Amino acid sequence: MPSIQPAEFRHAMQSLPSGVAIVTTGTAAGRRGLTVSSVTSICMEPPCLVVGINARSEAHDEILANGSFGVSVLRSDQEDLALRFGGGEGAKGVHRFDTGAWDQGVLDVPLLPNAFCALECVLYDHKALVTHTVFIGRIVAARQSDGNPLINFRGALRTLLPD
């Protein structure tokens, strides 16, 4: 049976609200990162998440080389970072990190100190699938802060209404 067309698939997936995060790896001039909305928990024992990353992304090969990555789930007031790490402003490589403060976590991966949630992962496994690689990260550290998460829904960045 044939697959649906890419435009139909994109439209369907835009109807699925998802959190927005920046996936990062590396240190100093080797830092790389990108915006994703494809982070999902996968199991509790051991605690793991899965993230899909385009094989052409600058961060892709760096995650494989470093064997670790960070996931900074963005707050509603961090839309500018989502756009910057999504390729806006033309920033590439380490220059994406020029705005905002970044910490190096216990795995020495870049993390936003004021992210809604920050997770540090050791690369547990990966699987190449056509244009993307699915990375499974075993979570070794986590922290949370207050605020509202940034959400990707129907092709736009949004926030949840406050309680």
Side-chain angles (χ1 to χ4, degrees), residues 9-161:
F9 175 66
R10 178 175 285 115
H11 183 70
M13 290 297 97
Q14 286 178 340
S15 297
L16 178 65
S18 58
V20 179
I22 296 175
V23 174
T24 56
T25 193
T27 60
R31 291 189 297 179
R32 297 293 179 266
L34 74 155
T35 300
V36 301
S37 57
S38 60
V39 177
T40 304
S41 64
I42 192 166
C43 61
M44 294 293 291
E45 291 293 331
C48 290
L49 60 76
V50 63
V51 61
I53 296 180
N54 191 309
R56 294 186 324 227
S57 165
E58 294 178 324
H60 180 276
D61 291 345
E62 292 299 318
I63 291 172
L64 290 172
N66 294 327
S68 59
F69 60 94
V71 178
S72 294
V73 179
L74 299 180
R75 291 190 337 244
S76 60
D77 62 348
Q78 295 173 318
E79 184 174 336
D80 58 330
L81 287 170
L83 296 174
R84 182 175 183 83
F85 278 79
E89 305 173 20
K92 293 185 182 282
V94 71
H95 298 294
R96 288 186 174 176
F97 296 85
D98 288 348
T99 61
W102 291 86
D103 290 340
Q104 292 297 126
V106 298
L107 294 175
D108 212 20
V109 295
L111 295 170
L112 275 171
N114 57 352
F116 183 70
C117 174
L119 305 161
E120 294 184 68
C121 302
V122 172
L123 184 59
Y124 187 80
D125 202 356
H126 66 282
K127 170 79 174 158
L129 299 168
V130 190
T131 60
H132 285 64
T133 297
V134 175
F135 290 101
I136 298 173
R138 182 176 55 82
I139 303 165
V140 298
R143 63 180 186 224
Q144 293 182 302
S145 68
D146 295 327
N148 285 314
L150 187 62
I151 304 294
N152 184 4
F153 180 61
R154 294 200 172 144
L157 297 175
R158 306 168 188 262
T159 189
L160 298 175
L161 294 175

